[in-house]
Amino acid sequence: MTVLSALKPALTPFLRFVHNEAFAGVLLVCVALLAFAWANSPWAESYFALRSTYFKLSLGSAEFKLSLEHWANDGLMAVFFLLVGLEIKRELIIVELASRRRATLAVAAAAGGMLVPAGLYALLNGGGAGASGWGVPMATDIAFALGVLALLGPRVPLGLKVFLTALAIVDDLGAVLVIAAFYTSGLQLGFVALAALTWGAALFLGWRGAFSLKVYAVLGALLWFFVLESGLHATLAGVMLALAVPIRKPDPAGYLAPLNAVPQTGSGEEEDARLRDLEDLLERAQSPLHRLEHAIHPFVTYAVLPAFALMNAGVALGGGLGTVSLGILLGLLLGKPLGVVGGAWLAVRLGLAALPQRVHWGHMAGAGLLAGIGFTMSLFVTNLAFEGSALLTQAKLGVLLASLIAAVLGAGVLLVVGKGRDTPEDPWEAAS
């Protein structure tokens, strides 16, 4: 028996933990705490020097130069938004949001969870120097929120996890639209035209059934550059590319023939070859959207989001809380649960939707608080709203503090309300 096989029973629970959303949330928390501690330590100067270090790419005489902070925010986060776009497309077409009931409850809750926080923020900051930050408390960090639910385990009914996932997907779509419509600088029409042509080519190839991910990788890189230079935020290129990637599966006739050519029985080498063909078959039987989503999900979880947290969570204390911080706190901690629960209640009251099985309004209140964990998306919008402003640090502090409090309060409420009654398995059927 090898050492690895002897340790396998002990390692298995940890490996399962690593692959779920709980680990993604914990990893983000650890990196954020590291950045925050570093920015307020005697070595703070090295932290801010790292963020402002420039890294360049050269292609012949052309040179492309951005700081590490901008590479994380404009480059790596484009891959994050690509994953968000793929999830939105998948959810809308085949999964949680495919039925009218699921979509109505999630859309109503998400709409309330975006409008109420923005309105509360505007009450404190409308017309002032921080007025542009109204979009900051509108967002939900899906990794953190689902991570908290995962840590609570069976105390939380499955229907609530499905609802919160659908809510976060709709919330992400709203955030993308807000960024595109309200946080865009002056447009360079030439690059806008190039971006449109590139996106059109990707959409056409997706419609025609181009299943090679290499094609979309090349077009995605070009689209990112053109969108960056156009004045639109570069991360929108990720969502645009996701909309072009086909979700339909390839014709099985194209990949079954090589498998059928392998003998059913034979030597060990022939059987190994057949197993390899089976693995390749399973890979090619998936749609390009699913293959791309599975390919980039680990990269986003273990590289993109931690890098973003490291570059953005390092907030040096000093100025204290102001109206911008208070507006974000009010929006995320009060506006989010009021908006989410209020929107869902209205949809149920009007008969347009029903709560999932085993989920009651106490659970919904806990989910509304967890939706106040803004972190990644809120910090991202903060950078857009207050770039170059003295209010940037104050806004980031508000996001970090509100996200921490929302996580604690949401988990506490869900622990108190408990799991709920045992009912049939379908989490989306209303209780009789």
Side-chain angles (χ1 to χ4, degrees):
M1 179 182 294
T2 65
V3 175
L4 183 59
S5 61
L7 291 176
K8 188 174 181 179
L11 289 174
T12 299
F14 174 75
L15 294 176
R16 289 175 180 169
F17 179 69
V18 166
H19 286 90
N20 65 25
E21 293 291 345
F23 182 78
V26 171
L27 178 62
L28 275 182
V29 169
C30 292
V31 174
L33 290 175
L34 171 64
F36 187 81
W38 192 358
N40 291 279
S41 72
W43 304 279
E45 186 176 344
S46 64
Y47 171 75
F48 292 104
L50 174 67
R51 291 201 326 189
S52 59
T53 299
Y54 277 84
F55 179 76
K56 64 181 180 180
L57 291 177
S58 298
L59 184 62
S61 59
E63 184 178 276
F64 193 62
K65 185 177 180 182
L66 292 174
S67 69
L68 288 181
E69 181 180 6
H70 281 96
W71 274 115
N73 295 347
D74 296 346
L76 290 179
M77 285 298 284
V79 183
F80 167 74
F81 274 84
L82 171 60
L83 180 62
V84 168
L86 294 172
E87 290 176 342
I88 290 173
K89 184 173 181 177
R90 172 174 52 80
E91 299 290 326
L92 288 173
I93 295 177
I94 62 173
V95 195
E96 279 84 3
L97 301 182
S99 74
R100 181 179 60 82
R101 173 173 292 180
R102 301 174 188 182
T104 301
L105 188 66
V107 169
M114 290 185 284
L115 295 175
V116 176
L120 290 178
Y121 179 92
L123 287 177
L124 284 181
N125 294 279
S132 61
W134 58 269
V136 174
M138 296 176 67
T140 297
D141 190 301
I142 187 171
F144 268 168
L146 294 181
V148 172
L149 286 184
L151 291 174
L152 294 176
R155 298 180 183 88
V156 179
L158 174 62
L160 190 69
K161 298 177 182 179
V162 176
F163 164 74
L164 189 58
T165 301
L167 168 67
I169 293 294
V170 179
D171 193 285
D172 283 344
L173 177 59
V176 170
L177 295 176
V178 167
I179 291 169
F182 299 102
Y183 293 104
T184 296
S185 58
L187 295 179
Q188 300 294 323
L189 297 182
F191 283 106
V192 170
L194 290 173
L197 288 173
T198 306
W199 188 33
L203 289 170
F204 175 76
L205 290 173
W207 174 69
R208 292 286 295 174
F211 296 111
S212 173
L213 295 183
K214 294 178 181 178
V215 172
Y216 298 103
V218 173
L219 289 174
L222 290 173
L223 182 61
W224 175 82
F225 176 75
F226 294 145
V227 172
L228 176 68
E229 295 296 319
S230 72
L232 294 167
H233 199 275
T235 53
L236 296 176
V239 179
M240 295 166 66
L241 180 65
L243 297 178
V245 179
I247 197 170
R248 65 181 185 275
K249 297 179 181 180
D251 183 358
Y255 56 81
L256 285 177
L259 181 65
N260 294 330
V262 179
Q264 300 295 316
T265 59
S267 66
E269 291 184 0
E270 290 174 335
E271 291 181 355
D272 289 342
R274 182 170 178 79
L275 288 175
R276 288 193 296 269
D277 287 336
L278 280 171
E279 292 175 354
D280 183 60
L281 168 64
L282 291 174
E283 175 71 18
R284 286 188 288 164
Q286 294 181 316
S287 72
L289 184 144
H290 285 87
R291 285 191 286 126
L292 183 56
E293 185 178 357
H294 293 159
I296 66 175
H297 193 280
F299 177 67
V300 170
T301 300
Y302 304 122
V304 172
L305 293 181
F308 176 82
L310 182 64
M311 292 293 108
N312 290 275
V315 180
L317 297 175
L321 299 177
T323 55
V324 169
S325 297
L326 294 177
I328 293 171
L329 284 164
L330 186 65
L332 289 175
L333 296 178
L334 181 61
K336 270 292 185 181
L338 285 178
V340 167
V341 176
W345 178 86
L346 185 61
V348 172
R349 183 72 174 176
L350 294 175
L352 301 175
L355 292 183
Q357 278 286 19
R358 294 189 295 169
V359 174
H360 52 70
W361 291 109
H363 290 122
M364 296 294 287
L369 284 166
L370 291 183
I373 305 175
F375 196 71
T376 303
M377 291 297 286
S378 290
L379 285 176
F380 187 81
V381 178
T382 296
N383 288 327
L384 300 179
F386 298 110
E387 185 177 8
S389 169
L391 297 173
L392 179 60
T393 297
Q394 187 184 135
K396 284 187 175 183
L397 186 60
V399 170
L400 295 175
L401 186 58
S403 297
L404 176 61
I405 296 174
V408 173
L409 291 179
V413 168
L414 290 175
L415 284 173
V416 170
V417 300
K419 184 179 179 181
R421 301 185 303 274
D422 289 333
T423 48
E425 292 183 0
D426 187 354
W428 278 100
E429 289 300 324
S432 57

